[in-house]
Amino acid sequence: MTEYTAESLAKTLREAIIRFSRRIRQARPVGELTFSQLSALTSLQLHGALTPRELADLERVQPPTMTKIVGKLEDRGLVARTPHPTDGRQVILAATDEGRAVYARNEQVRNEWLAVQLDRLTPEERDTLARAAEIMLRVARA
Amino acid sequence: MTEYTAESLAKTLREAIIRFSRRIRQARPVGELTFSQLSALTSLQLHGALTPRELADLERVQPPTMTKIVGKLEDRGLVARTPHPTDGRQVILAATDEGRAVYARNEQVRNEWLAVQLDRLTPEERDTLARAAEIMLRVARA
DNA sequence: CATGCTCATTAGCTAGGCTAAGTATCGTGA
DNA sequence: TCACGATACTTAGCCTAGCTAATGAGCATG
């Protein structure tokens, strides 16, 4: 096994991430949800209802940024805002039925390009990517 | 070894990428180069002189986007634009001495947070990330 | 040498990200 | 109980990054 120093790996990994994410973004179907919108909607699906703050923390953005993203989703009727039962300051965000439908459709189209690419890899390579994804999520949480 | 389908992996990987890259972006030192600017400068360092079109292709953005990024770098004296010797339409981009200096300083600061995180991982985990990075770069090129 | 192609840029748009400031509500200590 | 600090969200204002469409300049070829 080749040994990598943390420094040289940091450089390579950063390059890979930026190129790769740009490539994924390009595979976006026109007129549908953006990267960030889909990501927020996904979090709402997976975690059920969340406050803006919780969603912002999960998505690793600042609250005002999340206000904007949620605003777009709300404009399209994909997310609903309801008042918190006991705390008047807070708001509860949840995906609507239409949000869930749009999510499912978009998710599939969105993953299509990537899934095709991944399908061309060997099982070992997919395994490497899967384990790397877990590590990256863990590091991102730190 | 666990088997991952291309579909489920696509989903996980996309989530990891977006979270991870947001986290990296947050570790940006104030008043220095942005993610995209540093990436472009890096390509210029590694490949020597390039035309805007070549640089845009490398960075996976459209030419007008690269015009903007290079413009910022040029304003700060980090990149020089010289006319192509034989083809009057083209332009040659190259990092200046100051560009190389700023690059080196920034690169180090930029990688610091990530390097610290990576240093906490096991050698096996670093190896996984390194191999994943290579695969991602290859896929991004496709 | 006219016409069509290529390269780069400009113009104009949208999304996404930030900080600072504002507003409403909560909770608590005097 | 009520004044005041803390908290939650939004608004305002800014910048970067990305796109497409259109423009202009230069090249190359029939």
Side-chain angles (χ1 to χ4, degrees), chain A residues 22 51-53 63-64 67 81 89-91:
Chain A
R22 274 174 180 161
T51 67
R53 160 68 71 178
T67 296
R81 222 183 280 254
R89 294 167 302 180
Q90 296 189 48
V91 170

Side-chain angles (χ1 to χ4, degrees), chain A residues 10-75:
Chain A
K11 192 166 173 173
T12 306
L13 194 53
R14 226 164 27 83
E15 185 188 350
I17 293 288
I18 190 171
R19 297 270 204 293
F20 196 67
S21 65
R22 274 174 180 161
R23 193 68 183 76
I24 293 176
R25 270 171 205 269
Q26 282 175 354
R28 161 162 66 114
V30 216
E32 294 279 349
L33 298 179
T34 67
F35 214 61
S36 298
Q37 289 167 15
L38 186 56
S39 185
L41 194 49
T42 303
S43 285
L44 281 180
Q45 303 258 52
L46 298 183
H47 293 82
L50 291 171
T51 67
R53 160 68 71 178
E54 289 166 338
L55 186 52
D57 286 348
L58 262 178
E59 292 290 310
R60 295 223 150 265
V61 298
Q62 295 301 309
T65 301
M66 193 45 70
T67 296
K68 273 193 194 178
I69 294 173
V70 168
K72 299 261 165 58
L73 292 171
E74 207 187 359
D75 288 347

